[in-house]
Amino acid sequence: ESDDPFGQIHAAVNSLILKFKAELQAAQGQDANRGQHEHDMAHRLLRSFLPDARILVADQDNRVLSDSESGSGGAYVGKHLLDLITDTNFANLVSTAFQSEGQLVRGPVTFESKAYQAAVLSLPSHQTQVVKTLIALYP
C-alpha cells in the first residue's frame, strides 16, 4: 500500500473487507446463539406443559436436537428423525404434520416397541430459525 491514490484506495478496500468479515463473523455467532436459545426454549416450554411426556425436538434438517428420555447427550441426538420412526402410524402422523405446517396432529403410535399417543407439530420455516418439529409422546 503506497501513499499514491491507488495505494490509498487499496488500503480503504482492505479496511472495508476486514470490517465486513468481522461483522459477518459476529452475525454468525449471534445466529448460533439465537438458534440454541430457540431450541432450549422450545424444549423447556414443552417439558413444563407436558412433564410426563417424552419430548423430541428436531431441526430444519430433521436431525434430533433433544430427546427428553435420553437427555442432551442421548443416543438419538444428531440422528435423523425419520430413521428413528419404524411404525407406519408414526410415519404417517409426521408426514401429515409436515404437509400441514403449523397444525397439531395427533394419533396413536409405537416408538421403541412402546405404545404412545403422539402430538406432532411442524413449525413453518418463517416462524423458526432452528427448530422444525416438536413431538410429544404420552404413555
Side-chain angles (χ1 to χ4, degrees):
E1 297 173 1
S2 60
D3 289 335
D4 65 0
F6 288 113
Q8 291 173 354
I9 291 172
H10 188 257
V13 168
N14 280 343
S15 175
L16 181 63
I17 289 170
L18 289 174
K19 286 180 184 177
F20 179 73
K21 185 177 177 181
E23 295 268 339
L24 184 61
Q25 288 173 339
Q28 287 171 340
Q30 289 174 348
D31 285 347
N33 287 339
R34 275 193 298 252
Q36 183 63 42
H37 178 70
E38 178 183 303
H39 161 250
D40 292 343
M41 183 180 66
H43 188 82
R44 281 194 315 267
L45 184 63
L46 284 174
R47 291 298 299 156
S48 64
F49 279 117
L50 308 165
D52 297 330
R54 181 172 184 175
I55 306 297
L56 297 168
V57 178
D59 67 9
Q60 301 286 347
D61 297 322
N62 294 319
R63 300 275 175 210
V64 176
L65 296 171
S66 62
D67 174 4
S68 63
E69 188 78 8
S70 58
S72 60
Y76 291 147
V77 173
K79 304 272 186 193
H80 198 279
L81 176 65
L82 302 180
D83 290 341
L84 304 176
I85 298 172
T86 57
D87 176 51
T88 304
N89 288 341
F90 201 175
N92 289 337
L93 199 65
V94 170
S95 176
T96 301
F98 286 172
Q99 292 171 7
S100 54
E101 287 184 339
Q103 300 296 316
L104 185 68
V105 293
R106 298 174 189 196
V109 301
T110 301
F111 185 65
E112 294 182 329
S113 303
K114 297 177 189 171
Y116 293 99
Q117 282 295 320
V120 182
L121 178 64
S122 178
L123 299 171
S125 57
H126 68 276
Q127 292 180 349
T128 180
Q129 196 172 33
V130 174
V131 175
K132 175 64 176 172
T133 309
L134 305 169
I135 300 173
L137 301 170
Y138 308 92

